[in-house]
């Protein structure tokens, strides 16, 4: 028996990076009755607040969809874990908090594809609207927005040495990757407030929950969008063993992420017709692009031993860690309030004057020793070290998302198709070689031990390629599976309306026609800001 879930002006499916923003901004209009449906619970766990614990939550599988890809052909048939947040705030509650908008050319490129209103000049005001930067005061940054952004606050000597080594290797030193130029070596900005994570649940959703016109329903499973006579009129979902349908007088916004949004559309009969029929789903709108054009930033890491006890491993000794966690929770200071990947770079591997094509994340530690321990004994090189992660920024490889079955609880089939393009391989190898050269600079000499991965004897393209197959993975930036566009494969238009279904929009990283150049959380938040304005404008007309 289906239960009446109530009637609302707007229903937002997903309270993640974009959905929490969209719901908050929509609820600012007091005459709109807004419902938010979220598969996870509230972000109440105190550990979410401490930046150092990001890796622990990712690995634990708690508050996580725990997706995996299908066996990847270019990665030795391995299944690659794809952690995505199943909690209020979505992946912004689990991520590394790095705040990167992307390049001007990313958004100008979208506009040149016929997507009016998505140029850099169009989207910059929305980035600034969200941002409440604590230090930067210029026309490129916002200071009054609810999303606190701050400079990196760590002081580990390995990070300083890495940035100095970049300068010694001939790269620019860049104080602001969201400034006039992205190129160079420097420290990232982070969505951290008072030493604690500032995801979209904290910045947007929690304040909006005080409004009488916003209803948040947690721990629900959306089964389909209800479409009648070509218009989306409601959302069917399961909660507490009951089947409910909430009706929408105005619009429905699907913000379930690059995996969840195409899955929900296909379960609703919106997607490739033949694929839907395979699973016995009635076709509502034949949209062949749903689930296609999956993009992600490939990831691989150079790992070095360190000759001094200065890495993250030092801070993970149990007595020090306990003090750090208490200090971080009580005062917002100390090592637990620092995300270990503070250093980074954007570099050009191809000759010419173009934009950076590879992103670097630097960690003052080694992932294989990044766990709590009792003693730090023996030679430093056994446990201490540093990691240099290399990711091509604008991959050409494309994958897809497909239904495993018509069961809404079944995880979808994910094929990332990493390194299917020779271009992606070429950029990755060039980035690795350039980072090896950086690691050999004088600034890192006092700390650099032996190269642990892939190892100094890995020199040829073939050797590197074999190593990538064994260790390569994701930078956690899936996108593109409900892409904006004006052709027959596009899923949404420039106002994020689903082609062929009235009253329905998608707003999250899935709508990116091309993935942005860098971490995707800030652009996802911007997309949430934009869709709220689109809906408010159209409901007013």
């Amino acid at each position: 028996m289906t239960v009446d879930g109530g009637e609302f002006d707007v229903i937002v499916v997903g309270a993640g990076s974009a959905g929490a923003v969209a719901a908050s901004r929509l609820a600012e209009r007091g005459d709109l009755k807004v419902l938010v449906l979220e598969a996870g619970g509230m972000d109440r766990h105190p550990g979410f607040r401490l930046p150092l614990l990001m890796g622990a939550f990712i690995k634990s599988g708690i508050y996580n969809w725990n997706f995996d890809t299908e066996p990847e052909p270019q990665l030795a048939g391995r299944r690659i874990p794809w952690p995505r947040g199943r909690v209020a705030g979505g992946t912004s509650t689990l991520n590394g908090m790095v705040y990167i908008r992307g390049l001007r050319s990313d958004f100008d490129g979208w506009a040149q594809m016929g997507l009016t209103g998505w140029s850099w000049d169009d989207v910059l005001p929305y980035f600034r609207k969200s941002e409440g930067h604590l230090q930067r005061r210029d026309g490129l940054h916002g200071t009054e927005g609810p999303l606190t952004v701050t400079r990196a606050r760590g002081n580990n000597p390995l990070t300083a040495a890495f940035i100095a080594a970049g300068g010694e290797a001939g790269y620019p030193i860049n104080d602001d990757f969201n400034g006039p130029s992205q190129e160079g070596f420097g420290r990232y900005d982070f969505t951290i407030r008072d030493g604690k994570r500032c995801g979209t649940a904290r910045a947007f959703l929690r304040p909006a929950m005080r409004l009488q016109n916003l209803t948040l329903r947690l721990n629900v499973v959306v089964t389909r969008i209800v479409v009648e006579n070509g218009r989306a009129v409601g959302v069917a979902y399961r909660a507490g063993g009951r089947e409910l349908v909430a009706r929408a007088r105005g619009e429905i916004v699907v913000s379930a992420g690059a995996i969840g949004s195409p899955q929900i559309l296909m379960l609703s009969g919106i997607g490739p017709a033949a694929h839907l029929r395979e699973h016995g789903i009635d076709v509502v709108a034949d949209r062949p692009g749903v689930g296609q054009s999956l993009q992600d930033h490939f990831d691989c890491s150079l790992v070095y031993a360190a000759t001094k006890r200065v890495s993250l491993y030092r801070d993970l000794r149990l007595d020090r860690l306990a003090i750090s966690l208490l200090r971080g929770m009580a005062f917002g200071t100390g090592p637990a309030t620092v995300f270990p990947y503070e250093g980074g770079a954007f570099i050009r591997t191809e000759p010419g004057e173009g934009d950076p094509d590879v992103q670097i994340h630097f960690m003052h530690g080694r992932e294989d020793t990044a766990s709590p321990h009792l003693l730090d004994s023996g030679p430093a090189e056994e446990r201490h070290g540093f990691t240099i992660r290399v990711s091509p920024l604008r991959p050409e490889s494309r994958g897809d998302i497909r239904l495993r079955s018509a069961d809404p609880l079944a995880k979808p089939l994910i094929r990332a198709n990493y390194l299917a393009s020779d271009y992606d391989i070429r950029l990755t190898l060039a980035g690795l070689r350039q980072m090896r050269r950086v690691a050999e600079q004088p600034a890192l000499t006092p700390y650099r031990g032996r190269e642990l991965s892939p190892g100094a004897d890995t020199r040829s393209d073939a050797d590197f390629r074999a190593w990538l197959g064994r260790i390569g993975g994701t930078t956690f930036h899936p996108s593109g599976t409900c892409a904006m566009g004006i052709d027959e494969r596009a899923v949404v238009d420039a106002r994020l309306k689903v082609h062929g279904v009235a009253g329905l929009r998608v707003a999250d990283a899935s709508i990116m026609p091309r993935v942005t150049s860098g971490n995707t959380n800030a652009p996802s938040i911007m997309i949430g800001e934009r869709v709220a304005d689109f809906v408010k404008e159209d409901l007013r007309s």
Side-chain angles (χ1 to χ4, degrees), residues 21-45:
V21 177
S24 167
R25 295 303 194 187
L26 286 164
E28 289 176 352
R29 233 184 81 176
D31 63 327
L32 290 181
K33 189 178 179 183
V34 180
L35 170 65
V36 188
L37 299 172
E38 166 56 40
M42 206 61 202
D43 62 332
R44 292 192 178 93
H45 195 296

Side-chain angles (χ1 to χ4, degrees), residues 19 29 62 91 107 111 133 139 278 354 357 364 435 479 503 530 536:
R29 233 184 81 176
I62 304 172
T91 306
F107 303 100
H133 207 294
E278 286 175 6
D357 51 26
H364 58 273
M435 287 306 101
S479 59
R530 297 226 66 191
K536 286 188 284 189

Side-chain angles (χ1 to χ4, degrees), residues 373-409:
H373 57 275
L374 288 171
L375 297 173
D376 183 6
S377 58
E381 288 196 46
E382 288 185 0
R383 296 289 184 269
H384 291 268
F386 57 89
T387 302
I388 306 174
R389 307 186 80 97
V390 175
S391 300
L393 280 171
R394 292 174 294 282
E396 290 185 349
S397 301
R398 296 291 184 270
D400 59 41
I401 302 244
R402 283 288 177 263
L403 296 178
R404 192 177 301 273
S405 78
D407 180 359
L409 296 178

Side-chain angles (χ1 to χ4, degrees), residues 194-216:
D194 299 326
K196 298 173 185 177
R197 174 187 298 275
C198 185
T200 60
R202 184 181 183 192
F204 290 90
L205 189 62
R206 285 181 174 272
M209 288 169 62
R210 295 193 289 265
L211 301 174
Q212 295 299 309
N213 60 324
L214 185 139
T215 300
L216 173 63

Side-chain angles (χ1 to χ4, degrees), residues 85-303:
R86 186 172 183 169
V87 61
T91 306
S92 80
T93 301
L94 302 180
N95 70 355
M97 297 152 287
V98 176
Y99 185 82
I100 291 290
R101 296 168 173 171
L103 291 163
R104 170 184 285 271
S105 59
D106 292 331
F107 303 100
D108 287 346
W110 292 5
Q112 290 162 11
M113 296 166 66
L115 297 169
T116 303
W118 289 91
S119 72
W120 172 250
D121 290 337
D122 293 316
V123 302
L124 177 59
Y126 287 91
F127 280 116
R128 296 184 72 248
K129 180 180 181 180
S130 291
E131 184 182 13
H133 207 294
L134 297 181
Q135 294 93 15
R136 303 192 191 279
R137 299 288 188 271
D138 58 50
L140 291 175
H141 292 278
T143 59
E144 304 299 325
L147 183 75
T148 301
V149 182
T150 185
R151 288 173 177 266
R153 53 194 282 167
N155 58 5
N156 188 279
L158 285 170
T159 302
F162 169 73
I163 295 168
E168 291 171 341
Y171 298 97
I173 302 299
N174 192 339
D175 179 63
D176 182 7
F177 292 135
N178 297 301
S181 172
Q182 193 186 64
E183 185 178 8
F185 279 62
R187 287 178 168 83
Y188 290 111
D189 284 358
F190 293 88
T191 51
I192 295 175
R193 179 191 302 167
D194 299 326
K196 298 173 185 177
R197 174 187 298 275
C198 185
T200 60
R202 184 181 183 192
F204 290 90
L205 189 62
R206 285 181 174 272
M209 288 169 62
R210 295 193 289 265
L211 301 174
Q212 295 299 309
N213 60 324
L214 185 139
T215 300
L216 173 63
R217 293 177 183 165
L218 300 167
N219 301 305
V220 305
V221 177
V222 170
T223 58
R224 64 186 174 94
I225 307 300
V226 179
V227 180
E228 297 175 356
N229 300 317
R231 182 175 186 85
V233 297
V235 180
Y237 64 98
R238 298 175 187 170
R242 300 186 303 167
E243 299 281 341
L244 299 95
V245 174
R247 306 284 292 189
R249 288 186 292 265
E251 298 207 24
I252 297 166
V253 179
V254 177
S255 295
I259 302 169
S261 287
Q263 181 184 25
I264 289 170
L265 291 188
M266 287 188 283
L267 289 171
S268 308
I270 305 165
H275 178 63
L276 301 181
R277 292 188 183 108
E278 286 175 6
H279 295 290
I281 298 171
D282 292 336
V283 178
V284 170
D286 181 8
R287 302 307 308 174
V290 174
Q292 297 296 301
S293 193
L294 174 60
Q295 303 158 60
D296 185 26
H297 291 132
F298 178 72
D299 175 77
C300 59
S301 301
L302 293 171
V303 182

Side-chain angles (χ1 to χ4, degrees), residues 415-428:
R415 294 181 292 195
N417 209 23
Y418 292 115
L419 301 185
S421 163
D422 289 340
Y423 170 81
D424 296 354
I425 297 172
R426 184 172 75 247
L427 257 62
T428 302

